Amino acid sequence: MLDQSATSTSPRWRDPKRYLWPLGLTIPLSPFLAWGLVTLLGPGAFWTLGLMIMGVALPLVDKFAGVDRSNPPDEAIAALEKDPYYRWCVYLFLPLQYAGLVAACYLWAHGPLGVPERIGLAITVGIVGGVGINAAHELGHKRARLERWLSKVTLAQTLYGHFYVEHNHGHHLRVATPEDPASAKFGESFWKFLPRTVVHGLRSAWELESRRLARQGLSRWSYRNNLFNAAAMSVALFGVLIAVFGTVIVPYLVLQAAIAIVLYEAANYLEHYGLLRRKRPSGRYGKPTHRDSWNSDHLWSNLFLYHLQRHSDHHANPVRRYQALRTVDESPQLPAGYAVMIFCSLVPPLWRRVMDQRLIDFYDGDADLVNVDRSDPRAVRKLEQLCVERAEAHR
């Protein structure tokens, strides 16, 4: 656990996590680490090393390392954001990500792997791609053209280029409202949320790009359509890989992309589950606040995810760089880091057991403050039941 003294207002303040951030590169290195472990030790189970890291090692380290609630002082923010060191910690993810993908294609095509081992490797590559969507998330919010371009490059592996448009221009405007396809409602399982967020997110991205191009006097079918050029990157990437390594890699390329999408959308699911932005007297939603996202201050999963878990501050300050994001007391807190909560979200009964009462407690038992599908009688009844039980328990 990092000491609160890290928030000292001394002008000589230095980030106590500065040299820990490169540890996040362990994820894109995992295909090579898996290859090395199989070569040295033999068991084919090591091809699933990405899953071992995210599902076992990281939760255990989180458990024993504890949380980090330290924040950089106000006067250090400007210098912290300008420091190029932190940008390179993200930039380096990209070449390692694609080197791992090429190595995996070679192994799928020519390696002495059986089908189970090939699937295991696809799982690891998919986890790299899922965390890569998070790297694209960090890059895509920045104003520099290079970083925005790199964001689309990062998304090419997962066929998820529309995220570049929908997340920045759709989700951030509608976050924690019933209108947002990327904000999960109370009682909505992840497996119900997944097709809704993918389909409606893609539709929203198309509408957003069409309107943007229309304002510029261009057709939606223009080559400047970000959906088209992002898709072209994926087609070019997959086309080159298939031309070099053969069609034998196709099912594994599709599998790794699907795993990446599920992984990242599971993070989306948990980030705003049941939370609802407050409305102004005019009836319009207020600006997103630190109360509209679930946070986790677990140190190590934050290092591996570029502070994605300080999600409330990200929505309050979308262009703020990851190293400067803060934790605040008013944000609702998850009981564990994303590495645990993502896997929890995949099992709906477990998720409801862990999160539903926590959500009700955050809103002090007021059902009107919860984002729930009012047309779903089962979800409404469950919400009202939990609120009544809470009220009786607090009498």
Side-chain angles (χ1 to χ4, degrees), residues 270-319:
L270 64 88
E271 285 168 347
H272 307 286
Y273 176 76
L275 298 175
L276 183 64
R277 258 159 63 196
R278 295 179 179 177
K279 287 186 175 181
R280 298 181 175 131
S282 65
R284 300 185 66 179
Y285 289 105
K287 181 182 178 182
T289 72
H290 287 94
R291 292 174 56 86
D292 299 323
S293 305
W294 289 98
N295 280 15
S296 172
D297 290 318
H298 286 77
L299 173 62
W300 281 78
S301 47
N302 261 319
L303 290 171
F304 275 63
L305 296 174
Y306 302 115
H307 263 164
L308 180 66
Q309 299 175 156
R310 292 189 170 185
H311 207 62
S312 293
D313 200 36
H314 166 67
H315 273 279
N317 303 280
V319 298

Side-chain angles (χ1 to χ4, degrees), residues 189-191 266-267 269-270 340-348 351:
S189 75
F190 169 70
W191 300 107
Y269 173 79
L270 64 88
V340 171
M341 299 306 296
I342 283 173
F343 290 100
C344 181
S345 73
L346 304 181
V347 185
W351 175 262

Side-chain angles (χ1 to χ4, degrees), residues 69 71 290-291 295 297 310 312-313 326-333:
R69 293 189 57 79
N71 288 322
H290 287 94
R291 292 174 56 86
N295 280 15
D297 290 318
R310 292 189 170 185
S312 293
D313 200 36
R326 298 181 168 198
T327 180
V328 297
D329 292 337
E330 66 182 290
S331 299
Q333 291 290 325

